[in-house]
Amino acid sequence: MAREKFQTLTEQMFYILIALLDECCGVDIMEKVERITNGRVSVGPGTLYSLLNSFEKEGMIEETMVNGRKRSYKITVSGRELLESEFQRLKLLIADYQEINNRK
Amino acid sequence: MNRELQIRFYNCQLNELDSLKEYLEKKAAQGWMLEKRKGSICYFRKCKPKKVKFSVEIFDKASEFMVDYNATNEEYIEYCKAAGWNFVSAEGKVQIFYTEDKSAIPIETDPQQKFETVHKSIFKQYIKNWFIGIILGLLYLIKLSDGIVEIFSSYMSFSIILLGISMVILNTFQVIIYYRWFHKIKEKIKNGEEFYYYKNLGSLVSKIMVACIGTAWFVGVLVVSYLSGDKVLMFILLIFVSVPIFLFGSSILSVLTQKNGIMKEMKQTIYYKVIIIITFAVTGGIIIFFIAVEFFGLGNKNIKNTKYIDTDGTISWEAKHNDSLIFTLEDMGIKLQGEYNKNAEKGDSFIISKENYYEEPLGEDTEKDYLAYTIYRVKNKWLYDKVVKEVTKDNEFDFNKLEMIHIQGYKVYHTEDAMHYHSYLLLMDNLVLDLQTNLKLNEKQLQIVINKLD
């Protein structure tokens, strides 16, 4: 079910995985996503918490450090593959758009 | 120290949490800030009227028994805190936050995911309800194995079964209502439409149904317990009445606290004392009323002898006079030797009226004559046949081997066992008599029995 959920990544999922290309503390991800997207995409704390749990459960990210109540995560190989396949899918979308648009 | 507190009852389902959020924002704007929420009771503390944003969310990892800040929700709360949301209260899966920052990012930014969480939590709740329904269903089946007579001859067992069936119907209704809502919202998400978790008509109807079923059952049992003279059950029920009275009194007082200047300075301890006094006064008043009714003899006068009440609502009484028994050994011309124990038992149900009577010698003298009989009065033909079937089965009667005679147009079956004990089965209109005795009754004696029953 969860794998099915990640067949197509939402913007928030996509940017959380990007944020975790480098080790990052859970609560800092919200800020990092805002920074990467220049404030275009915001991830709410509840959404972030749930997604981190789902990603970890599916082996897309792994916990790297626990410091008190703060946990740090990093993307795994499977996570990178997922991110890459999403990137390829998005590239295909763009290519299809460009091809049809150029014909007009 | 300003201890002005306001208590409000606000009930909503897990898919109606946005309505609670709006309610809390309205209260804060009126100068009442939520302090905590326990079940459906919200505790507000007086504050300066302020415009704050509330967020009422479901934290799926929490169990239904978790409250406040705990090891399970601390990380979740930390995340929310980092986003500018202050934790207020948590009970079970429902977590309440507020912020004064108008630009704070909402806690849930993925409607699809939020919807899945809401659905999962409600689904779990329904599974739990269904589980309770199944347990009640099993209890019903166990009760059915006791026999249909046992169920229909007591209001209490019959009402419990009715309650079980009502709960199953109600659960089914709630599931249908919920799935209608579920598909509507799913479609909205698919189309990218905005929606809120507001109160819906379906859940209001199901709440009214719960209230009606609960009240009808409660009042029904109370009336039956009063009519049957079961004072213990009646008092237990009346004690239960004190709970809604307490809640009602609390709401009324809380409205007065807010609106009436006289009550404004009321301290929390006095507040509770007043509620408790009101509750005791009302409950006590009802109890005193019933005692007074009983004292002045307005209660059930039909039973003259020493009376006992069983837990299932069956009334039994030790007969001091023969008039408590429908017919006696003496009626059939049998002279009693020594002292006899006479007993009569009557169920409280009008569906199948089951009456047990016996006359047996005191002590262990097995030589003396005895009489024991059960009368079933039942008008419904289907139930009548069931009663005959069960009585036949209980007595291990084989109709092919029974002696059958017709008296005054009624069938009387007779059998005698190896110990020379006699069993009689008399089938009359709407009445079945199951009689055991050591005597072989002649036709004249059986006629007396029929005349007494007719």
Side-chain angles (χ1 to χ4, degrees):
Chain A
M1 186 69 190
R3 284 232 166 242
E4 204 177 290
K5 187 177 168 182
F6 299 137
Q7 284 292 310
T8 308
L9 297 181
T10 62
E11 277 195 338
Q12 296 181 84
M13 290 174 184
F14 187 73
Y15 283 112
I16 289 169
L17 287 178
I18 289 179
L20 289 174
L21 284 169
D22 294 318
E23 186 186 36
C24 187
C25 172
V27 288
D28 294 339
I29 296 170
M30 287 180 277
E31 206 183 304
K32 204 169 173 183
V33 171
E34 286 236 4
R35 210 170 51 236
I36 297 167
T37 63
N38 290 321
R40 191 181 61 82
V41 176
S42 301
V43 185
T47 304
L48 175 69
Y49 184 87
S50 305
L51 285 177
L52 287 178
N53 271 293
S54 306
F55 280 142
E56 196 183 10
K57 209 171 154 189
E58 291 301 313
M60 306 298 169
I61 61 167
E62 61 188 356
E63 195 179 276
T64 51
M65 201 175 63
V66 182
N67 187 6
R69 284 195 290 263
K70 285 190 170 184
R71 290 169 194 268
S72 295
Y73 300 91
K74 200 180 175 194
I75 197 163
T76 61
V77 176
S78 308
R80 274 181 181 273
E81 283 170 6
L82 179 70
L83 200 56
E84 182 60 28
S85 75
E86 182 64 15
F87 173 64
Q88 294 303 332
R89 192 184 69 84
L90 292 172
K91 264 186 19 184
L92 270 173
L93 294 182
I94 294 162
D96 288 344
Y97 171 77
Q98 282 176 336
E99 196 188 322
I100 291 167
N101 198 39
N102 289 343
R103 265 191 249 154
K104 285 185 178 177
Chain B
M1 190 173 63
N2 184 10
R3 288 179 62 83
E4 281 182 79
L5 187 81
Q6 194 182 80
I7 302 169
R8 283 284 182 272
F9 180 81
Y10 194 94
N11 179 260
C12 63
Q13 302 293 310
L14 292 176
N15 60 342
E16 298 172 333
L17 294 179
D18 280 343
S19 54
L20 175 61
K21 168 192 123 72
E22 285 197 355
Y23 173 69
L24 300 176
E25 284 171 359
K26 198 176 114 192
K27 292 296 291 179
Q30 287 170 355
W32 292 100
M33 188 67 186
L34 180 76
E35 194 171 74
K36 60 180 173 178
R37 183 175 180 258
K38 298 260 175 215
S40 297
I41 313 279
C42 296
Y43 298 82
F44 296 96
R45 180 76 57 191
K46 185 88 178 148
C47 68
K48 278 185 184 168
K50 53 184 172 181
K51 215 170 179 186
V52 292
K53 268 181 12 180
F54 272 90
S55 187
V56 187
E57 303 298 338
I58 295 174
F59 178 53
D60 194 37
K61 268 190 174 179
S63 84
E64 287 188 31
F65 308 104
M66 281 181 182
V67 288
D68 300 329
Y69 191 91
N70 57 63
T72 313
N73 65 3
E74 63 174 0
E75 199 184 358
Y76 178 79
I77 291 169
E78 282 300 311
Y79 277 48
C80 295
K81 202 176 167 187
W85 290 95
N86 303 301
F87 173 72
V88 185
S89 174
E91 197 188 22
K93 290 180 185 297
V94 179
Q95 319 279 311
I96 304 175
F97 299 87
Y98 83 94
T99 182
E100 292 182 31
D101 178 5
K102 283 177 191 169
S103 60
I105 305 164
I107 291 178
E108 293 293 341
T109 46
D110 186 342
Q112 172 72 36
Q113 191 184 288
K114 183 173 177 171
F115 180 62
E116 279 171 17
T117 311
V118 170
H119 174 60
K120 210 169 127 188
S121 306
I122 292 182
F123 191 70
K124 275 184 194 167
Q125 220 176 46
Y126 282 131
I127 292 285
K128 199 178 73 190
N129 288 353
W130 277 110
F131 186 71
I132 295 167
I134 286 165
I135 297 279
L136 278 170
L138 286 174
L139 286 174
Y140 173 64
L141 285 176
I142 291 166
K143 195 75 193 161
L144 265 184
S145 67
D146 286 349
I148 211 145
V149 176
E150 287 304 316
I151 295 168
F152 288 103
S153 61
S154 160
Y155 275 133
M156 191 54 90
S157 52
F158 184 61
S159 72
I160 288 168
I161 285 156
L162 269 186
L163 187 70
I165 294 168
S166 310
M167 276 186 71
V168 171
I169 294 170
L170 185 69
N171 278 351
T172 313
F173 178 76
Q174 282 175 328
V175 169
I176 293 168
I177 293 277
Y178 172 71
Y179 270 92
R180 273 192 62 197
W181 175 88
F182 173 79
H183 286 291
K184 200 172 112 190
I185 302 302
K186 201 177 166 188
E187 202 58 33
K188 280 195 172 186
I189 289 179
K190 211 170 132 187
N191 298 333
E193 288 176 48
E194 206 174 359
F195 71 95
Y196 296 95
Y197 295 90
Y198 285 149
K199 292 209 167 199
N200 53 74
L201 186 68
S203 86
L204 178 73
V205 173
S206 73
K207 269 176 211 162
I208 292 170
M209 278 175 76
V210 171
C212 290
I213 291 170
T215 311
W217 189 80
F218 188 86
V219 172
V221 175
L222 188 67
V223 168
V224 167
S225 65
Y226 174 68
L227 291 177
S228 65
D230 191 345
K231 304 287 180 306
V232 177
L233 177 65
M234 203 173 78
F235 285 161
I236 291 170
L237 291 169
L238 284 171
I239 299 302
F240 272 106
V241 171
S242 61
V243 177
I245 289 173
F246 182 84
L247 291 173
F248 184 71
S250 169
S251 309
I252 294 286
L253 211 61
S254 144
V255 170
L256 288 171
T257 314
Q258 192 190 9
K259 289 182 180 169
N260 195 333
I262 305 163
M263 309 287 275
K264 243 177 185 174
E265 295 305 315
M266 189 178 267
K267 297 246 176 357
Q268 196 179 346
T269 45
I270 302 169
Y271 180 90
Y272 282 113
K273 273 179 195 166
V274 171
I275 294 171
I276 289 165
I277 290 166
I278 291 173
T279 309
F280 273 103
V282 178
T283 317
I286 299 171
I287 291 171
I288 288 166
F289 170 76
F290 276 101
I291 291 171
V293 165
E294 186 60 27
F295 182 76
F296 290 110
L298 298 171
N300 198 333
K301 287 178 177 174
N302 299 329
I303 301 154
K304 299 168 191 165
N305 304 315
T306 313
K307 192 171 55 178
Y308 310 99
I309 297 136
D310 293 340
T311 46
D312 66 348
T314 307
I315 310 160
S316 63
W317 63 96
E318 204 179 305
K320 297 275 192 293
H321 311 284
N322 277 348
D323 59 2
S324 293
L325 275 71
I326 305 287
F327 57 87
T328 61
L329 284 165
E330 282 176 332
D331 290 334
M332 287 186 280
I334 313 291
K335 251 194 162 176
L336 302 184
Q337 292 169 352
E339 277 194 89
Y340 266 69
N341 184 15
K342 296 180 185 192
N343 194 282
E345 246 180 46
K346 195 173 182 228
D348 56 5
S349 171
F350 66 92
I351 303 164
I352 297 178
S353 163
K354 186 184 173 188
E355 300 158 29
N356 288 314
Y357 303 92
Y358 66 80
E359 268 188 299
E360 58 180 22
L362 281 172
E364 291 180 1
D365 192 349
T366 51
E367 293 299 309
K368 286 183 181 170
D369 298 331
Y370 79 91
L371 185 67
Y373 54 97
T374 306
I375 298 168
Y376 302 90
R377 296 178 202 272
V378 48
K379 284 182 181 161
N380 181 282
K381 177 81 177 74
W382 181 79
L383 282 175
Y384 183 90
D385 292 343
K386 291 277 172 199
V387 169
V388 173
K389 208 173 165 185
E390 270 183 33
V391 172
T392 311
K393 197 180 157 193
D394 289 348
N395 289 335
E396 294 175 355
F397 281 158
D398 181 355
F399 277 105
N400 297 323
K401 289 178 187 168
L402 291 177
E403 178 199 339
M404 196 269 280
I405 48 168
H406 278 95
I407 298 173
Q408 294 180 8
Y410 299 121
K411 283 179 185 174
V412 182
Y413 293 91
H414 166 248
T415 186
E416 184 181 350
D417 68 9
M419 303 286 287
H420 302 294
Y421 292 135
H422 298 266
S423 296
Y424 292 88
L425 182 67
L426 167 63
L427 305 179
M428 294 172 72
D429 299 333
N430 307 328
L431 187 148
V432 178
L433 171 74
D434 176 19
L435 188 150
Q436 321 286 327
T437 177
N438 61 323
L439 302 163
K440 172 134 174 60
L441 304 177
N442 57 37
E443 207 163 306
K444 198 182 165 195
Q445 287 168 322
L446 288 168
Q447 264 175 5
I448 293 167
V449 169
I450 290 170
N451 288 337
K452 289 274 183 185
L453 291 168
D454 222 352

